[in-house]
Amino acid sequence: MTNTNTTLTDNPVNHPYHYTHGGGIECIDAIQSATCGITDGFAAMCTGVAIKYMWRWWWKGKPVEDLRKAKWYIDRLITYMEKRYDKTESK
């Protein structure tokens, strides 16, 4: 399932294809935009990492593994948010 359709601009360190395939938007830029207003550092980190795995799941070569990793960070974020902020909302 590994993508073999890389371009000449693929750079495994600075611009790996599995993070740059998004129609001209790099994953790091999307994460920065998505997390810029999150003032809780741990919540921002979990959000960013989940986005990273969701961004690349099809392209990196291990889709189910990346989806499970994204889910792990999302589940961790939900647990954190419930303990930290969700004192009154019913489950």
Side-chain angles (χ1 to χ4, degrees):
M1 203 136 183
T2 302
N3 178 36
T4 59
N5 207 11
T6 59
T7 65
L8 294 175
T9 59
D10 183 35
N11 178 316
V13 174
N14 295 312
H15 305 285
Y17 183 77
H18 55 274
Y19 293 130
T20 59
H21 63 83
I25 301 168
E26 285 205 40
C27 182
I28 192 74
D29 296 325
I31 290 170
Q32 183 178 13
S33 182
T35 60
C36 69
I38 301 175
T39 58
D40 184 300
F42 185 75
M45 188 274 303
C46 286
T47 301
V49 175
I51 290 169
K52 174 184 88 165
Y53 287 119
M54 291 303 299
W55 194 274
R56 76 181 201 184
W57 75 270
W58 182 257
W59 306 99
K60 186 75 190 268
K62 296 182 179 182
V64 174
E65 181 178 297
D66 278 345
L67 291 170
R68 285 187 178 131
K69 288 177 181 180
K71 182 182 179 304
W72 188 91
Y73 280 97
I74 292 167
D75 289 342
R76 182 73 184 249
L77 178 58
I78 290 168
T79 299
Y80 174 77
M81 295 301 290
E82 286 174 341
K83 289 178 181 175
R84 185 162 175 105
Y85 296 105
D86 195 17
K87 307 287 185 200
T88 58
E89 187 176 319
S90 60
K91 313 279 184 274

